Amino acid sequence: MAALAPQSSDDQGPSEEARPVNDDRLSLIFTCFHPALSTEAQVALTLRLLGGVTTKEVARSFLVTEPTMAAVSHEPSARSRPPASPYRVPEEHELPDRLRPVLAVVYLIYTAGQTSQAEPDLCAEAIRLARILATLMPDEPEAAGLLALLLLTESRRASRIRPDRSLVPLDEQDRSRWDRALISEGQSIVRRCLRHNKPGPYQLQAAINAVHADAATLQDTDWSQIVALYDHLLAIAPTPVVALNRAVAIGELRGAAAALALVDQLDLDNYHPFHATCADLLRRLGRDTEAATAYERVATLAPTDAERQFLSRRGRSRKPSTRTH
């Protein structure tokens, strides 16, 4: 991995002023995304090298098992071997072609920071990198969209995590603890993104979070607007996770039965929010035995001991609804 190390002062690399990316970590991330590597290997290796993220956390982000991701990270195929040309910081005109996976890495660093006890500063680092990207590439609305998404998500983080690291459902969060300054900044960026009229996945996710942030209570949430945004997001990013989140929003708008009919069509057996959603919907429909089984399944997949204990308690209780947006 020595080829991935930053250049020393003896190297004939570009000066600080001439570098297109004047942040060492972000520059190295761009460098890792050499076109000779498969996308999965690019992201997995970069997260491991730069993000302080474990193979288990990377696997959870890709919705695959830990052994599968470990194999990808050390993939021996031709596409993952060091390319004939050396690793180097890309030129300024090459940055847009590498932006998409770089945004994915920054987002996954933030996601890992939400669940990692060992790396509590990952969320702040992801936001720092997103700010640099948005400044570096002001004509790329997805860079701004990612920053808005992280700011809006961060605005609720204090109210979403209990001291034992378990999640607080949306309907139980103390909204007075939401960071209004971060919400204001994130919503302002979303409005600027809308003027570009080039919606992408990060911009749409940020817009969804902006709608959530507008609501004083769960009941005040504009679920029709959220469903419309998810419809658009699903059209451009037709992934099972997006479909799951859209189903949850439809459940708030049209009822649990409508949501469960959609959820039952999804193949996300290794994704613990899928089973948490199923359990919640089954509970809301009064199907307590099936709900208890679903809670047992999600407890085995939860990323932390605190969440496993929390979900086990939920499965044994009769308390209605566990919305976790």
Side-chain angles (χ1 to χ4, degrees):
M1 294 301 175
L4 296 180
Q7 293 176 323
S8 72
S9 58
D10 294 330
D11 294 330
Q12 297 302 311
S15 67
E16 186 74 17
E17 292 77 9
R19 292 170 59 191
V21 183
N22 287 325
D23 178 85
D24 287 341
R25 175 164 288 186
L26 190 57
S27 180
L28 191 50
I29 291 175
F30 270 105
T31 302
C32 285
F33 284 98
H34 194 287
L37 301 176
S38 68
T39 299
E40 293 84 356
Q42 288 172 341
V43 174
L45 289 169
T46 307
L47 285 172
R48 292 298 308 278
L49 287 168
L50 305 173
V53 184
T54 66
T55 298
K56 183 176 182 179
E57 289 165 331
V58 176
R60 190 160 59 242
S61 299
F62 277 102
L63 307 184
V64 297
T65 64
E66 186 173 351
T68 298
M69 183 50 64
V72 169
S73 298
H74 300 86
E75 184 180 319
S77 70
R79 294 190 66 202
S80 291
R81 291 174 189 153
S85 58
Y87 287 100
R88 59 172 175 78
V89 179
E91 302 294 336
E92 186 171 358
H93 70 273
E94 296 175 302
L95 297 182
D97 289 338
R98 302 193 187 191
L99 179 61
R100 182 176 177 182
V102 169
L103 293 176
V105 162
V106 174
Y107 180 65
L108 292 179
I109 288 173
Y110 182 87
T111 301
Q114 291 182 295
T115 58
S116 174
Q117 296 178 354
E119 299 287 346
D121 296 329
L122 287 179
C123 290
E125 176 62 5
I127 291 173
R128 186 187 73 83
L129 294 172
R131 287 191 185 280
I132 295 173
L133 279 168
T135 301
L136 177 69
M137 310 181 79
D139 296 326
E140 296 286 349
E142 276 293 82
L146 175 64
L147 175 58
L149 174 60
L150 297 190
L151 292 173
L152 289 163
T153 304
E154 182 70 8
S155 73
R156 295 191 287 148
R157 186 156 66 100
S159 66
R160 293 182 72 245
I161 306 295
R162 292 186 172 90
D164 67 358
R165 303 291 297 177
S166 62
L167 291 177
V168 180
L170 182 63
D171 55 343
E172 295 180 14
Q173 290 176 22
D174 180 359
R175 298 188 179 215
S176 68
R177 298 183 65 197
W178 289 7
D179 189 320
R180 304 314 303 184
L182 290 179
I183 289 173
S184 178
E185 183 181 2
Q187 290 180 329
S188 177
I189 295 172
V190 169
R191 287 191 291 270
R192 292 201 302 272
C193 287
L194 291 175
R195 291 197 287 271
H196 284 274
N197 198 27
K198 295 180 180 178
Y202 293 114
Q203 295 171 75
L204 289 169
Q205 290 178 77
I208 290 165
N209 277 269
V211 175
H212 276 299
D214 265 339
T217 67
L218 184 74
Q219 293 71 29
D220 292 334
T221 305
D222 188 345
W223 291 107
S224 294
Q225 187 176 1
I226 287 178
V227 169
L229 288 167
Y230 270 123
D231 287 344
H232 198 167
L233 179 58
L234 189 63
I236 65 174
T239 70
V241 173
V242 172
L244 175 65
N245 289 329
R246 175 179 176 271
V248 172
I250 286 176
E252 300 292 347
L253 188 64
R254 303 175 192 165
L260 188 59
L262 296 172
V263 170
D264 282 342
Q265 300 174 30
L266 302 177
D267 182 13
L268 286 169
D269 190 57
N270 290 321
Y271 187 54
H272 89 274
F274 168 76
H275 295 283
T277 299
C278 289
D280 179 39
L281 295 172
L282 289 167
R283 186 206 296 264
R284 289 164 61 185
L285 291 169
R287 295 161 59 176
D288 293 341
T289 300
E290 294 169 272
T293 300
Y295 274 117
E296 289 176 7
R297 173 61 174 151
V298 70
T300 66
L301 296 171
T304 66
D305 289 339
E307 283 197 62
R308 283 189 284 275
Q309 294 167 8
F310 169 76
L311 290 163
S312 295
R313 289 195 300 270
R314 283 289 191 181
R316 293 191 298 268
S317 74
R318 298 293 177 179
K319 187 174 181 179
S321 184
T322 65
R323 301 171 178 86
T324 57
H325 299 291

